[in-house]
Amino acid sequence: MAPYSKNLFPFIFLFLTLSSILKAELDANYYDKTCPQVEKIISDTVLSASTFDPKVPARILRMFFHDCFIRGCDASILLDSTSTNLAEKDGPPNLSVHSFYVIDEAKTKLEKTCPHTVSCADIIAIAARDVVALSGGPHWNVLKGRKDGRVSKASETVNLPAPTLNVTQLIQSFAKRGLGVKDMVTLSGGHTLGFSHCSSFKARLHDFSFLHDIDPSLNTQFAFDLRKTCPKANTNFSAGHFLDSTASVFDNDYYRQLLAGKGLFSSDQSLVGDHRTRWIVEAFAKDQTLFFKEFVASMLKLGNVGVSQNGEVRLNCKFVN
């Protein structure tokens, strides 16, 4: 056994060494020496874009979620399609993800100030924090040091959690990313920002089931109001509704709306009807400070999904180097 153990040791050492190289060690101070202006440049860009277009905060936050849920937080959602590959941004669930130009503008500025230093993945993560804080939500120190991925496939966007999933399906989807039940309910609170088109919830308003024309979990008056906006023969494809009653403010109103039967998506409303998640919804509806605290913790966990050093720092977020 001695000769075998002696020969095996170098391979074990090599494996451990490679593992430490491939797994990124994220650090809030990662760019302190190489690009100390990174946070200000990104924050200024986000603020300018949000002032010009109030839809930017919700779009950037959604972009971060959709990026991390596919191949981890590697900015694969930013890559353009090519003649031989349809990229994530052109997958059906991502066709409504916009404001990529904000990340591109920040990257252009950073390349002038700190060439080939800041990854596009880190820009998204910092921008997501900034839009939350800018909208009245919490501020936190973003851990940095991500690398940009080289692969982006539209076919993989089917793995994004759909607005029609039930609680069990949502739990399973988040668990695949190392996120627990509380993380799932907490991150769903990101729906406090934004707007949805009728196509994402119209099925709840007309011919819902054999027994019910309208989803019975919906508040009746709310459902009737939505039917006026989204009639059965809807031809206005831009029509829709805000995700909560304070859709430009990051707060806990989303959870209060769920308890009132006014969740726009069936996936959101299902959180109230399941004992595994209802208590969390109730806690956040009562205590915004608690929601903010848990949201920061879950965003940090989400920001670690799929992170590794097996990537690059793109010179242009739209293309691999």
Side-chain angles (χ1 to χ4, degrees), residues 38-44 46-47 57 123-135 138-140 142:
V38 59
E39 298 242 2
K40 185 178 188 308
I41 290 173
I42 295 172
S43 295
D44 287 349
V46 169
L47 175 59
I123 297 174
I124 298 178
I126 295 170
R129 184 276 315 276
D130 288 343
V131 297
V132 169
L134 186 63
S135 303
H139 184 281
W140 62 93
V142 176

Side-chain angles (χ1 to χ4, degrees), residues 20-262:
S20 65
I21 291 172
L22 292 175
K23 182 174 176 56
E25 293 297 331
L26 301 185
D27 184 351
N29 304 312
Y30 187 82
Y31 296 112
D32 281 4
K33 293 182 179 179
T34 58
C35 192
Q37 310 98 316
V38 59
E39 298 242 2
K40 185 178 188 308
I41 290 173
I42 295 172
S43 295
D44 287 349
T45 304
V46 169
L47 175 59
S48 177
S50 300
T51 301
F52 178 76
D53 181 1
K55 297 177 182 178
V56 165
R59 289 171 170 177
I60 295 295
L61 185 57
R62 186 165 178 241
M63 186 190 303
F64 177 67
F65 289 160
H66 281 220
D67 181 49
C68 294
F69 256 77
I70 302 300
R71 291 181 161 264
C73 307
D74 67 347
S76 53
I77 194 172
L78 301 180
L79 288 172
D80 279 354
S81 294
T82 67
S83 59
T84 57
N85 178 67
L86 195 66
E88 287 174 31
K89 65 168 59 172
D90 291 318
N94 285 336
L95 293 177
S96 57
V97 177
H98 301 290
S99 296
F100 294 110
Y101 73 91
V102 180
I103 307 301
D104 292 333
E105 286 182 8
K107 179 61 173 175
T108 298
K109 295 174 184 176
L110 287 165
E111 282 302 312
K112 291 179 180 178
T113 307
C114 320
H116 205 188
T117 301
V118 181
S119 68
C120 300
D122 277 345
I123 297 174
I124 298 178
I126 295 170
R129 184 276 315 276
D130 288 343
V131 297
V132 169
L134 186 63
S135 303
H139 184 281
W140 62 93
N141 290 325
V142 176
L143 302 180
K144 312 169 193 76
R146 297 167 187 80
K147 291 294 183 285
D148 299 324
R150 300 183 182 91
V151 178
S152 182
K153 297 181 179 180
S155 60
E156 295 180 349
T157 60
V158 296
N159 296 315
L160 288 167
T164 55
L165 297 186
N166 59 39
V167 170
T168 296
Q169 292 169 322
L170 287 170
I171 291 174
Q172 292 171 345
S173 177
F174 277 70
K176 291 177 181 177
R177 281 85 183 171
L179 300 167
V181 176
K182 186 186 289 186
D183 296 311
M184 183 268 287
V185 180
T186 303
L187 292 172
S188 295
H191 284 166
T192 186
L193 297 178
F195 176 91
S196 175
H197 293 110
C198 295
S199 57
S200 294
F201 58 88
K202 186 180 174 183
R204 304 181 69 197
L205 307 175
H206 309 279
D207 303 325
F208 177 71
S209 69
F210 180 75
L211 296 176
H212 303 282
D213 186 35
I214 298 173
D215 183 344
S217 67
L218 269 173
N219 174 284
T220 303
Q221 185 57 54
F222 182 60
F224 286 150
D225 291 341
L226 289 177
R227 282 170 68 125
K228 294 176 184 177
T229 303
C230 307
K232 191 172 183 179
N234 182 41
T235 56
N236 181 5
F237 299 110
S238 64
H241 198 275
F242 291 106
L243 293 176
D244 76 10
S245 63
T246 58
S248 62
V249 179
F250 193 96
D251 56 18
N252 67 337
D253 184 60
Y254 162 82
Y255 297 102
R256 296 197 297 268
Q257 295 296 309
L258 295 188
L259 292 175
K262 297 181 179 181

